[in-house]
Amino acid sequence: MNTFLIKNGQLVNEGEVFVGDILIEEGRIAKIAPAIENINNARVIDAQGCWVLPGMIDDQVHFREPGLTHKGDIESESRAAIAGGITSFIEQPNTVPNAVTQELLEDKYQIASEKSFANYSFMMGGTNDNLEEVLKTNPRNVAGIKLFLGSSTGNMLVDKEEVLEKIFSSTDMLIAVHAEDEATIQQNLARYKEQYGEDISVACHPLIRSAEACYLSSSKAIALAEKTGARLHVFHVSTAIETKLFRNDIPLRDKKITAEVCVHHLWFSDEDYATKGNLIKWNPAVKSSSDRAALWEALLDDRIDVIATDHAPHTLEEKAKPYSQAPSGGPLVQHALVALLEASKEGMISIEKIVEKTAHNPAILFQIEQRGFLREGYHADLVLVDPNSDWTVSSDNILYKCGWSPFEGQTFSSKITHTFVNGNLVYEDGKINEKKSGQRLLFLR
């Protein structure tokens, strides 16, 4: 295994930015110091003027394997992830077949062990009738349990209240939820179909999958977690009203109920449907600019704990269908971190806060073993960023298998220059090292 010495970087870690060196040996961070002498013939990387960050841990992706690999697969999407500074991901169970048995779950781990460029974990999926399988899940090497409380791609809707209460009360594992009230959505959809037939505009998406639908489901899940003592994590919060459900008066390590926001809900608003159309059709929907402002406020005051992507590729052909037929979701892992860095340059969030929400907090929240921080002895999952290197997203540099991005045409002023996964330099100056270095995430439970 190679030895590397990163010199003169601006290290961003645990609320501080300081100039220093990092020595990487045997896949780990061996030493962090103001100046480290190269005595072991390490390869030296001069990071003068660059930020050195712990790699982003994306707690919600859909890499589409098995069964939906015309959209993306673990190899293609993890390649895009490391190019975007994401060194670890947690993938969701709504593949084909759904990962709702221990055998099917382990099949996905086996695929990733052979194909993933980034570190990986997979959620166990809950349904209306697989409690016995859910309870077999090993907390040491599985990130958590995923429940869809609203239908989405690959319908795994859990809509029986007695089943939900049984799952919540029967496991100590983290339960992550997609929270949208299905009855409200269906009522809204019926009303718009009555008005427009099949010719519904995508601009109606946030009215069909409304703020009310999100709040009803999130508040119900939180009430159930409070009743049962379950460990609940609410994925992709998208509305102002939902942000009022979460607390910031206790440390993250002590929270039993936590929240995530996604990059697209921080970047886009309903005004963008006019130009982006189905390319920004997600579940939950991108909503108003006032919702977006409230999400930023809750993120910065720590009611919202982590930032993720909900990376969910579909082909352009699928997205080009009429609104009612076009699937929800879009690819984001290659561009999430640089989008956040752009927001930092605009004064919306500090670089320290970005690292906290994308690396430190996911590691704390999921109790990930020895990742998410620049600490001696930790796995060397690192990202170097040139903060002054303009580039424009185009079809020529998009790595997603689906070949498109909602950011196409966007110019970013920061560029990922190097990505290390487990001490291996897997991405350097636009080139992928074809050695697949990802490892299965382990959890301190």
Side-chain angles (χ1 to χ4, degrees), residues 420-437:
F420 291 86
V421 175
N422 298 306
N424 295 298
L425 183 54
V426 295
Y427 179 79
E428 181 177 14
D429 295 329
K431 296 180 181 179
I432 303 283
N433 176 347
E434 293 300 328
K435 178 182 179 182
K436 297 177 177 66
S437 301

Side-chain angles (χ1 to χ4, degrees), residues 130-141:
N130 77 331
L131 178 62
E132 187 175 328
E133 284 293 314
V134 166
L135 296 182
K136 295 177 185 176
T137 306
N138 184 350
R140 172 67 172 150
N141 61 14

Side-chain angles (χ1 to χ4, degrees), residues 228-379:
T228 60
R231 172 67 185 90
L232 176 67
H233 184 49
V234 181
F235 275 157
H236 42 45
V237 173
S238 63
T239 69
I241 191 170
E242 285 176 286
T243 64
K244 299 174 183 179
L245 295 169
F246 302 99
R247 299 175 58 180
N248 61 0
D249 59 339
I250 53 176
L252 176 58
R253 293 181 189 278
D254 297 330
K255 285 187 178 183
K256 293 278 282 184
I257 298 168
T258 52
E260 168 210 277
V261 68
C262 291
V263 171
H264 48 281
H265 291 123
L266 295 172
W267 186 278
F268 298 105
S269 77
D270 57 5
E271 298 167 11
D272 295 304
Y273 287 115
T275 55
K276 298 289 185 179
N278 287 337
L279 298 184
I280 62 165
K281 182 187 178 188
W282 275 282
N283 298 340
V286 169
K287 297 185 175 69
S288 70
S289 56
S290 59
D291 285 306
R292 179 176 59 189
L295 294 172
W296 274 109
E297 182 181 345
L299 179 71
L300 296 174
D301 73 16
D302 298 333
R303 282 173 288 154
I304 293 178
D305 305 289
V306 299
I307 304 172
T309 69
D310 194 15
H311 173 91
H314 299 284
T315 67
L316 274 176
E317 290 77 13
E318 291 167 328
K319 280 292 195 176
K321 293 178 179 180
Y323 162 75
S324 59
Q325 300 172 36
S328 293
L332 277 173
V333 289
Q334 189 181 348
H335 306 106
L337 184 54
V338 290
L340 293 170
L341 295 172
E342 205 64 28
S344 179
K345 285 205 168 184
E346 294 171 4
M348 298 178 70
I349 186 171
S350 69
I351 183 69
E352 298 95 325
K353 202 71 169 176
I354 291 172
V355 168
E356 176 188 319
K357 299 294 185 176
T358 62
H360 301 341
N361 282 6
I364 294 168
L365 194 153
F366 283 89
Q367 299 171 279
I368 300 172
E369 184 174 86
Q370 296 185 328
R371 301 189 192 274
F373 295 84
L374 302 181
R375 290 177 179 170
E376 292 178 358
Y378 270 48
H379 296 281

